[in-house]
């Protein structure tokens, strides 16, 4: 079963600030087959503004 996860601006900002849970999610998606994270461009802009 595949996991597809869309990160919003708050999740990306949390990861950028060192949030442990967000970091674990990113790591898991990197190491597990069939796990995919998506970062929409508009959410990247909003996370950068925050």
């Amino acid at each position: 079963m595949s996991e597809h996860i869309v990160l919003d601006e708050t999740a990306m900002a949390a990861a950028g600030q060192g949030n442990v849970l967000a970091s674990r999610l990113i790591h898991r998606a990197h190491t597990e087959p069939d796990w995919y994270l998506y970062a929409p461009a508009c959410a990247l802009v909003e996370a950068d503004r925050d």
Side-chain angles (χ1 to χ4, degrees), residues 9 12 39-47:
E9 66 274 4
M12 286 187 271
C42 58
L44 288 170
V45 171
E46 284 300 315

Side-chain angles (χ1 to χ4, degrees), residues 14-37:
Q17 294 170 358
N19 180 285
V20 175
L21 294 177
S23 295
R24 285 182 187 166
L25 177 63
I26 293 167
H27 176 74
R28 186 161 186 184
H30 179 72
T31 59
E32 293 284 332
D34 296 328
W35 273 61
Y36 303 94
L37 293 182

Side-chain angles (χ1 to χ4, degrees), residues 1-16:
M1 181 160 118
S2 296
E3 291 291 329
H4 296 266
I5 301 164
V6 179
L7 300 176
D8 65 2
E9 66 274 4
T10 56
M12 286 187 271

